[in-house]
Amino acid sequence: MEINVYLCMYFFQELAKYEDMEDQVVLTEKDLLEDGFGEHPFYHCLVAEVPEEQWTAEGHLIVGFAMYYFTYDPWIGKLLYLEDFFVMSEFRGLGIGSEILKNLSQVALKCRCSSMHFIVAEWNEPSIKFYKRRGASDLSSEEGWRLFKIDKEHLLKMATEE
Amino acid sequence: MECVVRPCRAEDCVEVMRMIRELAEFEKLPDQVQINDQVLREDGFANDPFYRCLVAEVPPEYRSRDGHTIVGYGLYFFTYSTWKGRNIYMEDLYIMPEFRGIDLEENRMNLGSPGICTPNYAGKGIGKKLMSKIAEIGVENRCIEMKFVVLDWNQAAIDFYQSQGAVDLTAAEGWHFFHFKGDALVRLAQGQTGL
């Protein structure tokens, strides 16, 4: 479990580098362990492993992962939300990403989810093509949904205002 | 006017379902509501619930024209960011139109258009009270951020959220929502994506 968490941390940082947002990673391995393997898991993770003869030069046997959790749409019920999805660059184009997505969709259907949701940056053309080729639709373009966030400082202000 | 914001109970699901349908009408997507109050109840009151909900309740003497005392709801759940950890996600925030624009502090009604908060009354009513409670729950549970979506034509909501410090990540960082739904999800699971 600890090895997996360490590897997950490595991947989260790799994904942040790919998305050019490295300085935004503030999570630690301790947080990941507590939040993923405590009484109420906040996330679930699937990993893609290769046999020893295909380990990377650095000795990695886990070459891809997907991190997901369950959310809720009051119109259609349970959803599977894909938070992160990453395959190491030297292992792309081999069908590993497709296999991970296939596994995830099977988890979604088994848990009676109507849909699998995720976000993609609009500049990320390879990912957009990857998902659209497999039947995904862009709800932001089609229906006008915009994602907003409120940071902790403003949450605190809202929570403590009289 | 008193208004209590409290956790939704199983028996409140009928009322929450009524308001879910009203919100879908307002968002011009009424045909998309596919669940009913029974499903809502099962999914919200299981051992590991899929969502949590707060309701806004008024005393009987302030009930709505149709006789309802539950006049708003906020539906939320916890999500996770690989970079920052726990988040709280506000899925729905809805107040019945006749209860919008009420200044709870001064106990006055905003006599402007329903569904629109004039500047004097924005942030003092039931919607703000519900949202503040969700923010409080987020802080108590060590959440680093609250996230939610808004339709791009809903300028009144966008203005209100931005006044509370919200940032539009779609505009600022280019994030788009995607989904695999229904048949597309089934085909993906069967490996039949036509590739």
Side-chain angles (χ1 to χ4, degrees), chain B residues 13-55:
Chain B
C13 286
V14 173
E15 286 293 280
V16 173
M17 199 63 228
R18 167 185 60 83
M19 291 186 286
I20 286 171
R21 290 195 181 104
E22 285 174 21
L23 180 52
E25 292 271 354
F26 172 75
E27 286 175 351
K28 303 175 189 170
L29 300 162
D31 299 331
Q32 294 203 24
V33 181
Q34 290 166 31
I35 66 164
N36 57 34
D37 61 274
Q38 195 185 340
V39 170
L40 196 64
R41 193 175 172 135
E42 278 168 19
D43 292 342
F45 294 88
N47 267 344
D48 201 10
F50 283 86
Y51 69 87
R52 304 199 193 197
C53 194
L54 297 173
V55 293

Side-chain angles (χ1 to χ4, degrees), chain A residues 101-119:
Chain A
L101 260 192
K102 184 177 163 189
N103 264 267
L104 278 173
S105 49
Q106 287 168 355
V107 168
L109 290 172
K110 197 167 137 198
C111 298
R112 292 180 293 122
C113 296
S114 320
S115 192
M116 172 157 60
H117 283 214
F118 50 98
I119 55 174

Side-chain angles (χ1 to χ4, degrees), chain B residues 1 17 25 31 38 60 72 76 86 91 102 107 109 111 119 126 134 137 139 143-144 161 166 188:
Chain B
M1 184 184 71
M17 199 63 228
E25 292 271 354
D31 299 331
Q38 195 185 340
Y76 66 96
R86 297 179 190 185
E91 172 66 35
I102 294 172
N107 202 27
M109 276 296 284
L111 297 175
I126 301 174
I134 296 175
I137 290 167
V139 170
C143 297
I144 201 97
Y161 293 130
L188 197 61

Side-chain angles (χ1 to χ4, degrees), chain A residues 26-46:
Chain A
V26 296
L27 207 52
T28 65
E29 280 150 33
K30 182 168 173 285
D31 296 325
L32 268 185
L33 255 176
E34 263 176 44
D35 292 338
F37 300 91
E39 222 180 276
H40 166 77
F42 280 81
Y43 70 88
H44 305 276
C45 222
L46 279 182

Side-chain angles (χ1 to χ4, degrees), chain A residues 26 35 75 84 122 139 161, chain B residues 34 80 82-83 128 174 177:
Chain A
V26 296
D35 292 338
W75 298 352
D84 269 351
E122 62 192 5
L139 287 172
E161 249 168 10
Chain B
Q34 290 166 31
Y80 207 73
T82 18
W83 303 340
K128 174 71 193 294
F177 264 106

Side-chain angles (χ1 to χ4, degrees), chain A residues 46-105:
Chain A
L46 279 182
V47 295
E49 265 183 7
V50 294
E52 194 170 343
E53 56 270 25
Q54 285 170 36
W55 285 9
T56 71
E58 295 91 0
H60 294 301
L61 70 106
I62 289 182
V63 301
F65 82 98
M67 193 267 251
Y68 66 96
Y69 41 81
F70 295 99
T71 62
Y72 204 76
D73 179 322
W75 298 352
I76 55 177
K78 288 178 275 198
L79 304 176
L80 186 145
Y81 188 88
L82 175 56
E83 172 68 33
D84 269 351
F85 179 26
F86 185 75
V87 176
M88 288 176 73
S89 54
E90 57 262 56
F91 288 87
R92 288 178 208 156
L94 301 171
I96 295 175
S98 289
E99 192 61 28
I100 293 176
L101 260 192
K102 184 177 163 189
N103 264 267
L104 278 173
S105 49

